Amino acid sequence: MGDSVNFGSLHKVCTLVVFLGFVHLLCIFIYYVKTLDIQYLSMRFQNIQSRVQTGAEWTATSAPYREPDPPVTKHSALSSPVDNSSKLDMCPDQPPDLEGPMVIEVSQTLSLDIIRAKNPELLEGGRYKPKSCISLQKVAIIIPFRHRDEHLKFWLYYVHPVLQRQQLDYGLYIINQDGEGTFNRAKLLNIGYAEAVKEYEYECFVFSDVDLIPMDDRNIYKCSSQPRHLSVAVDKFGFRLPYAQIFGGVSALTKEQYLKINGFSNNYWGWGGEDDDVYNRLISKGMSVVRPNSEVGKFRMIRHKRDENNEPNPQRFDRIAHTKETMDKDGVNSLVYQVVRVEKDKLYTKITVDVGKP
Ligand code: UD2
Ligand code: MN
């Protein structure tokens, strides 16, 4: 009897041991599956993060943004022995070679040859893309221009190396107004957009005055989920925002953001107002403006006098008051211009255009 009791308890103990062993194996299996999931999820999460950084996150009303391919697909399905780019990973959100604050001197004499020599990796037309990774964004930089060759040299000298350190896939477009008629900055910017999209699948457009040089390379020339104003602390304005709604200087819009506001007005002739009109457009379409902090957003404006044929536009206040009523008819959908000349240099694509008259 005693033996049979012992045997019974031994049987129970054995069953328990086998059961615990089974539970143990089950736990290991579940943990393993979960680990796989976590790795997969973290990969997805990194993608989502880079989409947020690239401005890919957007409201439900906008057109779908091209999501970067996950790295796994790139290695397996797309790799080929000749095409190295397919083996590359996406560039990191924080480019590794940034230097932070920079000293900007605008007193030395520069030649375009010196600047070309300093930027050996630039391709014809002021194009660049990093060799070691796939850029998070394809960016067209657009500069409205006329008779500011000295300023342009400083811009090229300082900003090209910054854009390369920022690991952008970019192209530089100088939109030069032909003739001596009244200057039209915003129309030149629209032309820059229209010409750039003909050349490459740009996703982001950075519109910059020729005289603004960033003083900190952490201010990345890229787009965000909302329109970005980059030149937040300009020396000329005592390194602070002159007013909260300012959108002039350097600003960045995704293609979707730009098209949503019908681009910029073509009807601001002469100095002023066109930047406030853009701000009105953004707000009226439910967007808001994002900015870097005033340390990262520091800029030097090269000193200059008011140019000839760019006198303050007396109509500007009246026009800004009616942005909402006019914007759907006045913009990239009503843009008319003539290309006079296209010059491809290693440092830039310069497009000389006839913008017409007021
Ligand atoms: C402010 C704005 C600028 C624009 C302008 C009003 C800032 C930092 N800047 O600059 O974005 O809204 O007011 O129109 O808020 N340009 C030429 N040749 C010319 C005239 C102009 O190339 O003959 C180009 C050049 O890129 C220049 C830009 O247009 O940087 C703006 O003109 P500006 O520098 O005379 O205007 P500013 O400094 O008052
Ligand atoms: Mn200026």
Side-chain angles (χ1 to χ4, degrees):
M1 180 78 178
D3 274 358
S4 75
V5 169
N6 279 347
F7 182 76
S9 2
L10 190 64
H11 181 79
K12 276 187 191 154
V13 170
C14 285
T15 314
L16 192 65
V17 168
V18 169
F19 177 73
L20 284 176
F22 177 73
V23 169
H24 187 112
L25 282 175
L26 193 68
C27 288
I28 291 174
F29 179 73
I30 290 172
Y31 180 70
Y32 174 69
V33 170
K34 271 183 93 175
T35 317
L36 282 183
D37 252 353
I38 287 163
Q39 278 172 356
Y40 173 75
L41 283 175
S42 83
M43 205 174 76
R44 297 290 307 160
F45 182 65
Q46 273 167 14
N47 270 338
I48 291 164
Q49 268 190 327
S50 81
R51 285 182 60 212
V52 173
Q53 294 282 336
T54 55
E57 290 295 290
W58 186 226
T59 59
T61 53
S62 75
Y65 208 87
R66 195 183 64 81
E67 186 178 349
D69 296 312
V72 170
T73 321
K74 291 208 165 292
H75 285 290
S76 53
L78 296 178
S79 57
S80 81
V82 279
D83 183 6
N84 252 346
S85 66
S86 60
K87 294 201 186 77
L88 299 177
D89 285 328
M90 302 297 288
C91 297
D93 288 334
Q94 296 302 319
D97 296 331
L98 298 183
E99 294 171 2
M102 302 180 301
V103 177
I104 307 297
E105 289 279 335
V106 289
S107 48
Q108 70 273 46
T109 316
L110 290 173
S111 77
L112 289 177
D113 279 335
I114 290 175
I115 307 168
R116 287 186 195 106
K118 212 172 155 250
N119 294 278
E121 305 212 334
L122 287 181
L123 303 173
E124 197 70 358
R127 293 284 295 273
Y128 173 82
K129 68 163 104 173
K131 290 205 170 69
S132 61
C133 58
I134 298 170
S135 295
L136 298 179
Q137 296 190 6
K138 299 188 177 98
V139 185
I141 317 269
I142 295 164
I143 295 184
F145 185 86
R146 186 168 66 184
H147 304 324
R148 295 270 198 116
D149 294 276
E150 280 311 301
H151 293 185
L152 180 59
K153 276 190 228 164
F154 285 111
W155 195 100
L156 298 169
Y157 180 78
Y158 283 114
V159 190
H160 263 311
V162 167
L163 300 172
Q164 290 164 64
R165 289 204 291 281
Q166 294 181 345
Q167 298 187 314
L168 300 169
D169 178 354
Y170 73 91
L172 175 62
Y173 296 84
I174 310 297
I175 312 300
N176 179 37
Q177 181 168 331
D178 193 41
E180 302 303 324
T182 309
F183 196 70
N184 190 329
R185 177 178 179 269
K187 186 167 183 179
L188 291 170
L189 299 181
N190 277 338
I191 296 170
Y193 169 89
E195 291 296 316
V197 290
K198 287 184 197 164
E199 286 200 341
Y200 194 47
E201 300 150 349
Y202 292 111
E203 303 158 320
C204 171
F205 298 82
V206 175
F207 302 97
S208 173
D209 285 1
V210 71
D211 51 23
L212 284 172
I213 315 286
M215 296 175 71
D216 193 311
D217 64 5
R218 291 170 296 174
N219 196 359
I220 300 184
Y221 276 48
K222 69 175 185 182
C223 289
S224 189
S225 55
Q226 292 292 321
R228 276 186 83 216
H229 181 234
L230 282 77
S231 52
V232 305
V234 180
D235 60 349
K236 182 184 163 176
F237 303 138
F239 292 112
R240 58 167 89 126
L241 275 188
Y243 56 100
Q245 296 81 7
I246 190 165
F247 200 65
V250 186
S251 50
L253 299 172
T254 64
K255 191 172 185 177
E256 286 74 20
Q257 290 159 359
Y258 176 86
L259 292 176
K260 200 167 177 177
I261 60 169
N262 190 21
F264 309 141
S265 170
N266 300 304
N267 294 329
Y268 283 79
W269 298 90
W271 183 92
E274 84 298 335
D275 49 344
D276 300 325
D277 185 274
V278 181
Y279 183 84
N280 290 345
R281 287 174 182 237
L282 297 173
I283 298 304
S284 81
K285 293 291 174 183
M287 292 184 267
S288 55
V289 172
V290 294
R291 299 191 167 97
N293 68 49
S294 56
E295 202 45 48
V296 167
K298 276 189 169 178
F299 273 80
R300 176 131 291 160
M301 188 193 284
I302 305 169
R303 281 167 181 271
H304 63 80
K305 295 200 284 284
R306 183 68 43 83
D307 304 87
E308 274 175 36
N309 304 314
N310 193 29
E311 276 70 45
N313 172 10
Q315 293 180 359
R316 66 189 185 281
F317 303 108
D318 192 44
R319 287 207 175 274
I320 307 165
H322 296 99
T323 305
K324 220 171 162 175
E325 297 98 87
T326 52
M327 64 181 283
D328 291 336
K329 292 185 265 46
D330 168 25
V332 70
N333 70 355
S334 62
L335 180 63
V336 180
Y337 63 97
Q338 295 294 321
V339 172
V340 175
R341 194 165 52 246
V342 179
E343 292 159 66
K344 290 273 181 191
D345 190 285
K346 262 179 85 104
L347 295 171
Y348 51 73
T349 297
K350 189 190 249 183
I351 306 179
T352 300
V353 290
D354 181 351
V355 296
K357 292 193 213 35

